[in-house]
Amino acid sequence: MPGNSIGHLFRLTTFGESHGAAIGGVVDGCPAGLKLDLDAVQRELDRRRPGSTSLGTARNEADKVEFLSGLMDGITLGTPIAFLLRNTDARSTDYDALKDVYRPGHADMTWEEKYGIRDHRGGGRSSARETAARVVGGAIARQLLAQEGVQVQAYVEQVGSERVDRPYTDLDLASVWNNDVRTADPEAVARMTALIEQVRAEGDSIGGVIACVVRDVPVGLGEPVFDRLEADLAKAMLSINATKGFQIGNGFAAAALRGSQNNDPFILGWRRRPGPGMIGARVEEGAIRTATNNGGGTLGGISNGEDIRFSVAFKPPATIAKAQHTVDRSGSAVVIEAQGRHDPCVVPRAVPIVEAMTCLVLADHLLRNRTVRARNFAPQQH
Amino acid sequence: MPGNSIGHLFRLTTFGESHGAAIGGVVDGCPAGLKLDLDAVQRELDRRRPGSTSLGTARNEADKVEFLSGLMDGITLGTPIAFLLRNTDARSTDYDALKDVYRPGHADMTWEEKYGIRDHRGGGRSSARETAARVVGGAIARQLLAQEGVQVQAYVEQVGSERVDRPYTDLDLASVWNNDVRTADPEAVARMTALIEQVRAEGDSIGGVIACVVRDVPVGLGEPVFDRLEADLAKAMLSINATKGFQIGNGFAAAALRGSQNNDPFILGWRRRPGPGMIGARVEEGAIRTATNNGGGTLGGISNGEDIRFSVAFKPPATIAKAQHTVDRSGSAVVIEAQGRHDPCVVPRAVPIVEAMTCLVLADHLLRNRTVRARNFAPQQH
Amino acid sequence: MPGNSIGHLFRLTTFGESHGAAIGGVVDGCPAGLKLDLDAVQRELDRRRPGSTSLGTARNEADKVEFLSGLMDGITLGTPIAFLLRNTDARSTDYDALKDVYRPGHADMTWEEKYGIRDHRGGGRSSARETAARVVGGAIARQLLAQEGVQVQAYVEQVGSERVDRPYTDLDLASVWNNDVRTADPEAVARMTALIEQVRAEGDSIGGVIACVVRDVPVGLGEPVFDRLEADLAKAMLSINATKGFQIGNGFAAAALRGSQNNDPFILGWRRRPGPGMIGARVEEGAIRTATNNGGGTLGGISNGEDIRFSVAFKPPATIAKAQHTVDRSGSAVVIEAQGRHDPCVVPRAVPIVEAMTCLVLADHLLRNRTVRARNFAPQQH
Amino acid sequence: MPGNSIGHLFRLTTFGESHGAAIGGVVDGCPAGLKLDLDAVQRELDRRRPGSTSLGTARNEADKVEFLSGLMDGITLGTPIAFLLRNTDARSTDYDALKDVYRPGHADMTWEEKYGIRDHRGGGRSSARETAARVVGGAIARQLLAQEGVQVQAYVEQVGSERVDRPYTDLDLASVWNNDVRTADPEAVARMTALIEQVRAEGDSIGGVIACVVRDVPVGLGEPVFDRLEADLAKAMLSINATKGFQIGNGFAAAALRGSQNNDPFILGWRRRPGPGMIGARVEEGAIRTATNNGGGTLGGISNGEDIRFSVAFKPPATIAKAQHTVDRSGSAVVIEAQGRHDPCVVPRAVPIVEAMTCLVLADHLLRNRTVRARNFAPQQH
């Protein structure tokens, strides 16, 4: 069972090695009749691009996406949407020295042990370059979600020991794209930037945490029992390179709480709902809401209409300029030292990837949720 | 796309409502020729049973599993293994009062909004009773894994503010079944027990964390890019009722580390490997190992042969004896107060569930890994 | 990838060996809120039962289906519907003589070569008894389809050299259940019955063909390119024991025709459409119809609203009373001669199975078709 | 559930519209370490190309396949193999007249009714041009099968009323590529050619039948109960444009036979088996064979090692030069008459497509069959 696809009804398959001819993907299951803003797709891709922030690597990929199918006059046909990004800045000879060495913290050894062969150039398919295809797929998913009024925004919550101290409800999430750290707290920008620059100067790297918030989610997304919404989100996040953890709502902090503290009481309130043909337009009164949101937007694996909020831990990038002990393919101990410039911290560039994976999961569940009721079967109440 | 199955090649489908005729499941894809120890399956089930620890609820289900198919003389036929557990202690009228009320922290509201109907008796299918079927499926998976020498053991790492302070390598994990808290640290048993009893006396509940360790894992399990081993583990864990977080290796702590601290240097060492027809028998010299295990047993989504170690956060059970504000189906504010006895803390009984889900994920990847190389294609080196 | 499930959104998984504890299945994905007529399910099962026609075997299975989950007060919950049929008349010792012999035309040899083990009692899982679970799943699917007005009816079109000579449009398909041959042509009943009785008297068996007609199918079912409606129907039919061929519309006869003969001209006409909450109630004028139906109800893999008509070839049952040469497990040539009474012709009892598989395929595509258009995207015309 | 993928472990996804930027596909699950002969892939593609036979259309597509990923030095990496074919001869304006008309026998109406939109240029995605991507995928599958010694060869068995009268065992199947009709019977070439030319001159079209033979198939391929080998072959064949029927072994003729005629007696004989690293090299004595092959190579859905033989019916191409009555999108009756040159008979060019789909199904089952036995579980006998 190959593992290069995600989603059941809205399904992305990606392909490509870092230094092969191209990377790309196929979105299968995007409904027909969606007017796609292709410039918006490219803009999301630009945010992930090396060089998009001053805090990333200097690898320069134009990363212009080419669409091959599935569209006519910018409208989806209901057929597979294939796309590719040519690999133009692939200086593969840079990697000759790494052909026979297993870099600590990288996938070199495990891929080779699994497949008996690996493309060592730029990490081959284990390179984070593959995530560019996810961003394209996620950008399409986002436009499908926008029809329902759903909004997805992630931001950097932590870089090393530097954290955002305020709850997301006190932040202007749209400000993320105004700073190179991709955080939503103006107060944290300088602290985080300074730490990343310091780590870079030391030839080292640093980890971080990205938080993600989804607003105006329809009630009912998520398929119990195994495909709970948070389960599919957890999988999607842990499928991103360098991630080490996922938590939703109070997450690990909930382990230290009592039920009387952690339960979210139900109350009656209002909720925004997209009207026919419009977005975010109608206010539904008498909706069942929760007074608090310790749960993070799901109950029993199904969205409850509150903001979905979760966070994702990233390890420090494995590539560092410092000397490291390791082993080569002949079974000898060697010392390696990375040349060139690399990302000292992955989280600024990973923000669009977290968003993309979130959009993919939600779009899939949006479609799945269309099939759960028999024709003309109305809810029992209100 | 119904969400009641997990796994691709080793696939478990579960069914059943808490107060219906039965719960059960079908394991499809279990290879032929496996001699199943059915008593061992029942023993695992007994560990999850209400009443298995003094710290759980008083609901009394004998929970004897009946196998319906897939076996002849205790040997798997390669056909679906179906099984069921009758619901014998289902006092459904106890739940009449809850028919029209949405309990805070429960799935009542979201299930009803999604499906337009719900079985309110004992939580219906959202009840944790469903996990009994997972334990059966996981117990079968465990016996398949045992052929490769793989060992899975979980333990309670935290109850509320009470934690195990020592690394798992200093613990006797097999001691878990000797105490009712299901922890591996004898020193922590009293502290955790006291806290749970105190919380119970207050009519409240408390959260916790379960750690899981997998030993002697073959190198090569996990399918990049989306079906990384840690991604599928994360999904499996977040599909368990009441879970709020997952982390592998250093997890969220890795976010605060530098690459020079977090990278695991490769070294040459030895590794246990199962020999032909035997288990855990052969020692492989000159294996590529890591000096530390900050990564938690995977690199690039593929097992590297080190111990897989991860942990899972559980929220405090939503059912508490204290009065809570909520809303009923007619849209009126009401106050509810749970009657009877309930689990004040879910983690002791969730230990076998975490193990079962781990076994299911690993067994699936074990089979998937059989198809990744062309006939007669040998690894490139050592 | 285990092969015991069919369907993506409406999915049936079956389990069970002929002489194990039970056979049964799980329907996952049946939408919530469907009022199931369980007696109607049992009636369909009764039509497949050994003994249901005077022309079948004498094995006597009561075959009362027991539902285990997924229903409350007869209404589907949107959760898995599990069911089982106990094996009560399993005289396994009858089969001891066959333990080491490979019966010609049976799956004994291939199953054993594949799995290294087989349950020889009554054919184990390769027994047609497994199809009882399909009939239950199909009966549920049929009730979902009935909400859209879809009607599925099969009939015996050929037994050996005896054929129904008239087109189905000249037949009263509902008359199928009035005769033991299960044909819709009263004129053919006697001819077919006589042939079957003659073959039985000779200790031999005979093949046949079943035709199936689906009326009032919504336009739009079928997912190009691989999951065309006729492709999924073909697979479903060839998955039935003893089937050797499938053809739709003019089928193999189309190979001898010219385009000017075989094309179905489009015309404007009317079509029945189910109204809100009613069945088969509304007449749509100005619908695009075809003047003829050589295609058999699909174009480009998608239903066009005309009657779907196809037929399925069955080989003569492999079990005959005549002496046959074969081989045993030790590699010796032996002669076998079947004892007891067996079906001389399988098609009468296979009619409900063909219908069940048809219903399963259509129900799956009915749900799949709910997700192909973006919100509020209306067709371009009329 | 989008329908643009086929296979579970060896999976092909195709994309592309006839007049879009490109068509192509992604093969996911091809094992690592397979040395691919890319020229051989192109050669198979050339056989399907318009212009490859004198009996096809004059549309001129160079159809050079470009590989984008999954290979290093011509060896598969175990990662997705993506490829594309640019659409270079797409004169879309030729199709303006067809924008608002539903051609009889084409998918225009059903696609538009289903999706609410269609790409009318050259049939969009319903064009047989999509099958070029299948041929590429099938060519890769064929090279995987070659490692096991499996050989797949199809040929034209019937064009209109002209048939090959001899059994395939009397034919030199390799001679198929020596004539433009793609038949294996030299005696039939002239008859079939004359008929096609005559039909072409009349502005009409004609149907046909393709037979396919698979030799040296390993015993054990096919997953009961729903994914029987013949079921998956039937689906694959009926997923090809213009197909109307499938039969295996004696097929529909078996319906008229008795069991004593149709059963294949088991005998002891020999069988070719690929040795370690070699192909078709070893002869296995004492193998269980059948004296006849009425079944067509499977028993109970599993290959029995005999030649797999089946045939596929194709309708006459829908596009003809004669005037036809139809309807346009505004709901008016119109008369259309196709301009330009079209395939008068599809079967010569469909031979490589039938082979490709056969290879895809077999490769998938080859990999699936690797997971059916527990470690070290040996067959019970010989």
Side-chain angles (χ1 to χ4, degrees):
Chain A
M1 197 70 193
N4 296 286
S5 301
I6 193 162
H8 295 275
L9 296 185
F10 190 100
R11 174 188 290 258
L12 172 69
T13 300
T14 71
F15 60 81
E17 279 70 42
S18 180
H19 289 227
I23 63 161
V26 181
V27 171
D28 201 5
C30 185
L34 182 68
K35 175 80 183 160
L36 270 193
D37 180 344
L38 300 181
D39 292 336
V41 174
Q42 183 63 49
R43 275 197 302 277
E44 295 206 40
L45 200 50
D46 291 344
R47 289 171 175 166
R48 192 215 71 100
R49 193 169 57 81
S52 61
T53 98
S54 63
L55 301 170
T57 86
R59 178 169 171 176
N60 189 11
E61 293 278 5
D63 276 356
K64 289 296 170 197
V65 60
E66 180 191 5
F67 286 94
L68 299 173
S69 66
L71 298 169
M72 191 169 61
D73 303 333
I75 297 174
T76 57
L77 289 163
T79 60
I81 304 170
F83 58 88
L84 61 78
L85 295 87
R86 295 276 170 186
N87 293 323
T88 52
D89 185 31
R91 289 181 298 180
S92 303
T93 49
D94 287 7
Y95 290 89
D96 281 357
L98 295 176
K99 191 174 173 183
D100 297 315
V101 175
Y102 298 134
R103 294 167 296 165
H106 279 282
D108 304 340
M109 184 275 266
T110 50
W111 279 62
E112 186 158 333
E113 287 271 340
K114 182 179 186 76
Y115 297 107
I117 185 176
R118 72 182 161 104
D119 184 349
H120 64 283
R121 300 164 302 172
R125 183 145 178 77
S126 73
S127 164
R129 177 150 178 73
E130 179 269 340
T131 57
R134 305 186 187 200
V135 171
V136 174
I140 296 170
R142 189 195 295 269
Q143 295 189 32
L144 185 70
L145 293 166
Q147 290 198 318
E148 311 287 331
V150 181
Q151 304 138 50
V152 175
Q153 180 66 58
Y155 65 96
V156 171
E157 193 179 39
Q158 181 183 338
V159 172
S161 52
E162 301 296 336
R163 298 164 188 267
V164 170
D165 295 323
R166 291 183 289 172
Y168 79 89
T169 44
D170 292 351
L171 303 174
D172 172 16
L173 299 191
S175 72
V176 161
W177 308 114
N178 300 338
N179 64 79
D180 278 358
V181 187
R182 306 304 191 209
T183 189
D185 184 356
E187 183 273 326
V189 173
R191 288 189 283 127
M192 289 175 171
T193 303
L195 177 56
I196 294 173
E197 293 295 0
Q198 175 193 343
V199 164
R200 187 208 299 267
E202 292 171 5
D204 213 335
S205 65
I206 190 82
V209 174
I210 292 177
C212 187
V213 177
V214 191
R215 286 168 161 152
D216 294 325
V217 187
V219 181
L221 305 192
E223 298 294 314
V225 297
F226 293 112
D227 296 354
R228 288 165 195 245
L229 193 58
E230 59 265 40
D232 278 355
L233 285 169
K235 170 169 174 153
M237 296 307 137
L238 267 294
S239 81
I240 301 174
N241 307 47
T243 54
K244 303 305 288 184
F246 168 89
Q247 57 185 353
I248 187 165
N250 283 350
F252 278 87
L257 296 178
R258 303 204 171 185
S260 55
Q261 298 169 303
N262 191 65
N263 281 355
D264 296 309
F266 285 116
I267 55 173
L268 294 171
W270 60 270
R271 174 182 293 134
R272 264 181 304 195
R273 287 238 169 134
M278 300 170 299
I279 288 180
R282 194 164 58 82
V283 166
E284 177 195 356
E285 301 280 359
I288 301 176
R289 304 292 308 270
T290 59
T292 50
N293 188 12
N294 295 312
T298 71
L299 274 173
I302 301 170
S303 63
N304 64 357
E306 306 304 313
D307 290 351
I308 294 176
R309 62 182 185 92
F310 61 84
S311 57
V312 187
F314 288 77
K315 72 175 183 179
T319 301
I320 56 176
K322 295 178 179 245
Q324 296 186 90
H325 292 277
T326 188
V327 165
D328 68 13
R329 292 176 66 233
S330 70
S332 306
V334 293
V335 172
I336 62 164
E337 207 169 312
Q339 304 300 323
R341 297 176 63 184
H342 299 276
D343 275 328
C345 182
V346 76
V347 288
R349 281 181 54 210
V351 167
I353 303 167
V354 166
E355 290 186 7
M357 296 308 297
T358 304
C359 290
L360 287 167
V361 169
L362 291 173
D364 191 40
H365 279 285
L366 194 72
L367 295 182
R368 292 171 76 170
N369 198 40
R370 286 192 188 179
T371 69
V372 299
R373 291 197 191 186
R375 184 187 176 86
N376 303 320
F377 183 63
Q380 295 176 330
Q381 45 81 248
H382 66 278
Chain B
M1 197 70 195
N4 296 286
S5 300
I6 193 162
H8 294 276
L9 297 185
F10 190 100
R11 174 188 290 257
L12 172 68
T13 300
T14 71
F15 61 80
E17 279 70 44
S18 181
H19 288 228
I23 63 161
V26 181
V27 171
D28 200 4
C30 186
L34 182 68
K35 175 79 183 160
L36 271 193
D37 180 344
L38 299 181
D39 292 336
V41 174
Q42 183 63 50
R43 274 197 303 277
E44 295 207 39
L45 199 51
D46 291 344
R47 289 170 174 166
R48 194 215 69 99
R49 195 169 57 81
S52 61
T53 99
S54 63
L55 301 170
T57 84
R59 176 168 172 176
N60 189 11
E61 294 278 4
D63 275 355
K64 289 296 170 199
V65 60
E66 178 190 6
F67 287 94
L68 300 174
S69 65
L71 297 168
M72 189 170 61
D73 303 333
I75 298 174
T76 57
L77 289 164
T79 59
I81 304 169
F83 57 89
L84 61 80
L85 296 87
R86 295 276 170 188
N87 294 322
T88 52
D89 186 30
R91 288 181 297 181
S92 302
T93 49
D94 286 6
Y95 291 87
D96 282 357
L98 295 176
K99 192 175 173 182
D100 297 316
V101 175
Y102 298 134
R103 295 167 297 165
H106 279 283
D108 304 340
M109 185 274 267
T110 50
W111 278 63
E112 186 158 333
E113 288 269 340
K114 182 179 186 74
Y115 297 107
I117 185 176
R118 71 182 161 102
D119 184 350
H120 65 282
R121 301 165 301 173
R125 183 143 178 80
S126 72
S127 164
R129 178 151 177 71
E130 178 269 338
T131 58
R134 305 186 187 201
V135 171
V136 175
I140 296 170
R142 189 195 296 268
Q143 295 190 32
L144 186 69
L145 292 166
Q147 290 199 317
E148 312 287 331
V150 181
Q151 306 138 50
V152 175
Q153 180 66 59
Y155 64 95
V156 170
E157 193 178 38
Q158 182 184 335
V159 171
S161 52
E162 299 297 335
R163 298 164 188 267
V164 170
D165 295 322
R166 291 183 288 173
Y168 78 89
T169 44
D170 291 352
L171 303 173
D172 172 16
L173 299 190
S175 71
V176 161
W177 309 114
N178 300 339
N179 64 81
D180 278 356
V181 186
R182 306 305 191 208
T183 188
D185 184 358
E187 184 273 326
V189 172
R191 288 189 282 128
M192 290 175 170
T193 303
L195 177 56
I196 293 173
E197 294 294 2
Q198 174 192 343
V199 165
R200 186 209 298 265
E202 294 171 5
D204 213 335
S205 65
I206 189 83
V209 174
I210 292 176
C212 187
V213 178
V214 190
R215 284 168 162 151
D216 294 324
V217 186
V219 182
L221 305 192
E223 298 293 315
V225 300
F226 293 112
D227 296 354
R228 289 164 192 247
L229 194 57
E230 60 264 40
D232 278 355
L233 286 169
K235 170 169 174 154
M237 296 307 136
L238 268 293
S239 81
I240 301 173
N241 306 46
T243 55
K244 304 304 288 184
F246 168 89
Q247 58 185 354
I248 187 166
N250 283 349
F252 278 87
L257 296 178
R258 303 203 172 185
S260 56
Q261 298 169 303
N262 191 65
N263 282 354
D264 295 310
F266 285 115
I267 56 174
L268 294 171
W270 60 271
R271 174 183 294 133
R272 264 182 301 194
R273 287 236 168 136
M278 299 171 299
I279 289 182
R282 193 164 57 81
V283 165
E284 177 194 358
E285 300 281 358
I288 300 176
R289 304 292 308 269
T290 59
T292 50
N293 187 12
N294 295 310
T298 71
L299 273 173
I302 301 169
S303 62
N304 65 357
E306 305 305 314
D307 290 352
I308 295 176
R309 61 182 185 92
F310 61 85
S311 56
V312 188
F314 288 77
K315 72 174 185 179
T319 301
I320 56 177
K322 296 179 178 243
Q324 296 187 91
H325 292 277
T326 188
V327 164
D328 68 13
R329 292 175 67 233
S330 70
S332 306
V334 294
V335 173
I336 62 164
E337 209 168 312
Q339 305 299 323
R341 294 177 64 186
H342 299 275
D343 275 328
C345 183
V346 77
V347 288
R349 282 181 54 211
V351 165
I353 304 167
V354 165
E355 290 186 7
M357 296 308 297
T358 304
C359 290
L360 287 167
V361 168
L362 291 173
D364 190 41
H365 278 285
L366 194 72
L367 295 182
R368 292 172 75 170
N369 198 40
R370 286 192 188 179
T371 70
V372 299
R373 291 197 192 187
R375 184 187 174 85
N376 302 320
F377 183 63
Q380 294 176 331
Q381 44 82 247
H382 64 278
Chain C
M1 197 71 193
N4 297 287
S5 301
I6 193 162
H8 294 277
L9 297 186
F10 190 100
R11 174 188 290 258
L12 172 68
T13 300
T14 71
F15 60 80
E17 279 70 43
S18 180
H19 289 228
I23 63 160
V26 181
V27 171
D28 200 5
C30 185
L34 183 68
K35 175 79 183 161
L36 270 192
D37 179 344
L38 299 182
D39 292 336
V41 174
Q42 183 64 49
R43 275 196 302 277
E44 295 207 38
L45 200 50
D46 291 343
R47 289 171 174 166
R48 193 214 71 98
R49 195 168 55 83
S52 59
T53 98
S54 63
L55 301 170
T57 85
R59 177 168 172 177
N60 189 12
E61 293 279 4
D63 275 356
K64 290 296 170 198
V65 60
E66 179 190 5
F67 287 94
L68 300 173
S69 64
L71 297 168
M72 189 170 62
D73 303 332
I75 298 174
T76 57
L77 289 164
T79 59
I81 303 170
F83 58 89
L84 60 80
L85 295 87
R86 295 277 171 187
N87 294 323
T88 52
D89 185 31
R91 288 180 297 180
S92 303
T93 49
D94 286 6
Y95 291 88
D96 281 357
L98 295 176
K99 191 175 172 183
D100 296 317
V101 175
Y102 297 134
R103 295 167 296 164
H106 278 284
D108 304 340
M109 184 275 267
T110 50
W111 279 63
E112 185 156 333
E113 288 271 339
K114 183 178 185 75
Y115 297 107
I117 184 176
R118 71 181 162 104
D119 183 350
H120 64 283
R121 301 165 301 172
R125 181 141 180 80
S126 72
S127 164
R129 178 150 177 74
E130 179 269 338
T131 58
R134 303 187 188 201
V135 171
V136 175
I140 296 170
R142 189 195 295 269
Q143 296 190 30
L144 186 70
L145 292 166
Q147 291 199 316
E148 312 286 331
V150 182
Q151 305 138 50
V152 176
Q153 180 66 58
Y155 64 96
V156 171
E157 193 179 39
Q158 181 183 338
V159 171
S161 52
E162 300 297 336
R163 297 164 189 268
V164 170
D165 295 322
R166 292 183 288 173
Y168 78 90
T169 44
D170 292 350
L171 303 174
D172 173 17
L173 299 190
S175 71
V176 162
W177 308 113
N178 300 339
N179 64 81
D180 279 357
V181 187
R182 307 305 191 208
T183 187
D185 184 357
E187 182 274 325
V189 172
R191 289 189 282 128
M192 290 175 170
T193 303
L195 177 56
I196 294 173
E197 294 295 1
Q198 175 192 341
V199 165
R200 187 208 300 265
E202 294 171 5
D204 213 335
S205 63
I206 189 81
V209 174
I210 292 176
C212 187
V213 178
V214 190
R215 285 169 161 150
D216 293 325
V217 187
V219 182
L221 304 193
E223 299 292 315
V225 299
F226 293 112
D227 295 355
R228 290 165 192 246
L229 193 57
E230 59 266 40
D232 278 355
L233 285 169
K235 171 170 173 151
M237 297 306 137
L238 268 293
S239 81
I240 300 173
N241 305 47
T243 55
K244 302 306 287 185
F246 169 89
Q247 57 185 355
I248 186 164
N250 283 350
F252 277 87
L257 296 178
R258 302 205 173 185
S260 56
Q261 298 169 303
N262 192 64
N263 281 353
D264 296 311
F266 285 116
I267 56 174
L268 294 172
W270 60 271
R271 174 181 293 133
R272 263 181 303 195
R273 288 238 168 132
M278 299 171 298
I279 288 182
R282 194 164 56 82
V283 165
E284 176 194 358
E285 301 282 358
I288 300 177
R289 304 293 307 270
T290 59
T292 51
N293 188 12
N294 295 311
T298 70
L299 274 173
I302 300 170
S303 62
N304 65 357
E306 305 306 313
D307 290 352
I308 295 176
R309 62 183 184 93
F310 60 86
S311 57
V312 188
F314 288 77
K315 71 174 185 181
T319 301
I320 56 177
K322 294 177 179 246
Q324 296 188 89
H325 293 276
T326 189
V327 166
D328 69 11
R329 292 176 66 232
S330 70
S332 306
V334 294
V335 172
I336 63 165
E337 207 169 312
Q339 305 299 323
R341 295 176 64 186
H342 299 275
D343 275 327
C345 182
V346 76
V347 288
R349 280 181 56 212
V351 167
I353 304 167
V354 166
E355 289 186 7
M357 295 309 296
T358 304
C359 291
L360 287 167
V361 169
L362 291 173
D364 191 39
H365 278 286
L366 194 73
L367 295 182
R368 291 171 77 170
N369 197 41
R370 286 192 188 179
T371 69
V372 298
R373 292 197 190 187
R375 184 188 175 86
N376 302 320
F377 183 63
Q380 293 176 333
Q381 46 79 250
H382 65 278
Chain D
M1 198 67 195
N4 297 285
S5 301
I6 193 162
H8 293 277
L9 296 186
F10 190 100
R11 175 188 290 257
L12 172 68
T13 301
T14 71
F15 60 80
E17 278 71 42
S18 181
H19 288 228
I23 63 160
V26 181
V27 172
D28 200 6
C30 185
L34 182 68
K35 175 78 184 161
L36 271 192
D37 180 344
L38 299 182
D39 292 336
V41 174
Q42 183 64 49
R43 274 197 303 278
E44 296 207 39
L45 200 50
D46 291 343
R47 289 171 174 167
R48 193 215 70 98
R49 194 169 56 82
S52 61
T53 100
S54 63
L55 301 170
T57 84
R59 178 169 171 176
N60 189 11
E61 294 278 3
D63 276 357
K64 289 296 168 198
V65 60
E66 180 190 5
F67 287 93
L68 299 173
S69 65
L71 298 168
M72 190 169 60
D73 303 331
I75 298 173
T76 58
L77 288 164
T79 59
I81 303 171
F83 57 88
L84 61 80
L85 295 87
R86 294 278 172 186
N87 294 324
T88 53
D89 186 30
R91 289 182 297 181
S92 303
T93 50
D94 287 6
Y95 291 88
D96 282 358
L98 295 175
K99 192 174 171 183
D100 296 317
V101 175
Y102 298 133
R103 295 168 296 164
H106 279 283
D108 304 340
M109 184 274 267
T110 49
W111 279 63
E112 186 157 333
E113 287 272 339
K114 183 178 185 74
Y115 297 108
I117 185 176
R118 71 181 162 106
D119 183 349
H120 65 282
R121 300 165 302 171
R125 184 145 178 77
S126 72
S127 165
R129 179 152 177 70
E130 180 269 338
T131 58
R134 304 186 186 201
V135 171
V136 175
I140 296 170
R142 189 195 295 269
Q143 296 190 31
L144 185 70
L145 292 166
Q147 290 199 319
E148 311 287 332
V150 181
Q151 305 138 50
V152 176
Q153 181 66 58
Y155 64 95
V156 170
E157 193 179 39
Q158 182 183 337
V159 170
S161 52
E162 300 297 336
R163 298 164 187 267
V164 170
D165 294 323
R166 292 184 287 173
Y168 79 90
T169 45
D170 292 352
L171 303 174
D172 173 15
L173 299 190
S175 72
V176 162
W177 308 114
N178 300 339
N179 65 79
D180 278 358
V181 187
R182 307 303 192 210
T183 188
D185 184 356
E187 184 272 327
V189 172
R191 288 188 284 128
M192 290 174 170
T193 303
L195 178 55
I196 294 174
E197 294 295 0
Q198 175 193 342
V199 164
R200 187 209 299 267
E202 293 171 4
D204 213 334
S205 64
I206 189 82
V209 174
I210 293 176
C212 188
V213 178
V214 191
R215 286 168 160 151
D216 294 325
V217 187
V219 182
L221 305 193
E223 298 293 315
V225 299
F226 293 112
D227 296 354
R228 288 165 193 246
L229 194 57
E230 59 265 41
D232 279 355
L233 286 169
K235 170 170 175 154
M237 296 307 136
L238 267 294
S239 81
I240 300 174
N241 306 47
T243 55
K244 303 306 288 184
F246 168 89
Q247 57 185 355
I248 186 164
N250 284 350
F252 278 87
L257 296 178
R258 302 203 172 187
S260 55
Q261 298 168 303
N262 191 65
N263 281 355
D264 296 309
F266 285 115
I267 55 173
L268 294 171
W270 60 270
R271 175 182 292 135
R272 264 180 304 194
R273 286 240 170 132
M278 299 170 299
I279 289 181
R282 193 165 58 81
V283 165
E284 177 193 357
E285 302 280 358
I288 301 176
R289 304 292 307 271
T290 60
T292 49
N293 188 11
N294 295 311
T298 70
L299 274 172
I302 301 170
S303 63
N304 64 357
E306 305 306 313
D307 291 351
I308 295 176
R309 61 181 185 94
F310 61 85
S311 57
V312 188
F314 288 77
K315 71 173 185 180
T319 301
I320 56 176
K322 295 178 179 243
Q324 295 187 92
H325 292 277
T326 189
V327 165
D328 68 13
R329 293 175 65 234
S330 70
S332 307
V334 293
V335 172
I336 63 163
E337 208 168 310
Q339 305 300 322
R341 296 176 62 186
H342 299 275
D343 275 328
C345 182
V346 77
V347 286
R349 282 180 56 209
V351 167
I353 304 167
V354 165
E355 290 186 8
M357 295 310 296
T358 304
C359 290
L360 288 167
V361 169
L362 291 172
D364 190 40
H365 278 285
L366 194 72
L367 295 181
R368 292 171 75 169
N369 198 40
R370 287 192 186 178
T371 69
V372 299
R373 290 197 192 187
R375 183 190 176 86
N376 302 321
F377 183 62
Q380 294 175 333
Q381 45 81 248
H382 64 279

